[in-house]
Amino acid sequence: MSSLSLKEFRPTILFLAKFVGIYVIMSLLYGAFISSYEPLSDPPTHVVAVQTSSFLNVCGWTTRAVDSKSNPTTVISSGERRVLAVYEGCNGLNVMIIFVAFVFAFGPLNNKLLWFIPAGLLTIHLANLSRIILLFWVSLYQPNATYFLHKYLFTAFLYVVVFVLWIVWVRRYSRLRSISAT
């Protein structure tokens, strides 16, 4: 009976092993990359802060993004006021790693995967920029609500975007759909 159970759960075990393996390898590489810039801000965090500031400037706010000289942050300021500090975790790369690990673990290497991953990464990036823009506005106009909204609502928003992308991958593009159709 135990061999039957192992056969029954083999696809799940393989998925989990692939997911964890890919996630751990990508996270270690990302951690080494980020650590190489300490104590300064890393390039992806800087780019996300600059893009956020540029969007806010287009919308009429006068902002600038400046790297801290002593912390691994890029600060978005409005006038002389430091409104928002963008840390390494705010660049969205950790969430992107989770997304990529899931899609690679769940689906075969094929043309669908080659276009879905970049499209998903772009979607996550745009959702993350939206999250930081909203955090800027909250920090500017309701600073007492910043911690709660950042910690819970806006973080959940980003993970919901990833979850929806996973659902789209599983239902529309993965091999599971083609197997179940036969």
Side-chain angles (χ1 to χ4, degrees):
M1 180 157 163
S2 64
S3 64
L4 178 64
S5 296
L6 186 57
K7 286 181 183 177
E8 183 180 346
F9 291 109
R10 187 172 186 271
T12 303
I13 293 168
L14 285 174
F15 165 77
L16 289 173
K18 281 196 249 178
F19 176 81
V20 170
I22 293 167
Y23 177 76
V24 167
I25 290 168
M26 290 179 74
S27 292
L28 289 172
L29 291 171
Y30 173 64
F33 172 76
I34 293 300
S35 296
S36 70
Y37 289 94
E38 288 179 357
L40 303 174
S41 181
D42 59 277
T45 301
H46 175 80
V47 167
V48 165
V50 167
Q51 289 174 344
T52 301
S53 178
S54 296
F55 179 84
L56 290 166
N57 289 335
V58 167
C59 292
W61 281 270
T62 303
T63 64
R64 67 184 187 287
V66 178
D67 290 336
S68 172
K69 301 291 184 214
S70 58
N71 296 320
T73 63
T74 302
V75 175
I76 301 176
S77 301
S78 179
E80 296 301 313
R81 182 176 172 194
R82 294 170 43 111
V83 179
L84 192 65
V86 181
Y87 289 85
E88 169 270 322
C90 299
N91 62 28
L93 290 179
N94 285 323
V95 177
M96 292 177 187
I97 289 171
I98 293 169
F99 167 75
V100 169
F102 177 88
V103 173
F104 267 117
F106 198 84
L109 294 174
N110 60 27
N111 289 338
K112 293 174 185 175
L113 181 77
L114 294 177
W115 74 263
F116 190 79
I117 285 182
L121 293 175
L122 179 61
T123 301
I124 293 167
H125 179 67
L126 294 174
N128 189 49
L129 287 178
S130 301
R131 180 182 76 95
I132 297 171
I133 290 164
L134 291 171
L135 277 170
F136 175 86
W137 289 331
V138 168
S139 296
L140 193 61
Y141 297 114
Q142 294 293 326
N144 292 336
T146 302
Y147 176 80
F148 176 81
L149 291 175
H150 173 266
K151 182 80 174 165
Y152 300 106
L153 184 65
F154 294 148
T155 300
F157 164 72
L158 200 52
Y159 282 100
V160 166
V161 169
V162 172
F163 183 72
V164 168
L165 287 168
W166 288 348
I167 297 298
V168 169
W169 174 250
V170 169
R171 290 197 173 170
R172 291 197 62 175
Y173 300 111
S174 75
R175 71 172 172 202
L176 183 65
R177 180 182 164 104
S178 60
I179 291 170
S180 65
T182 57

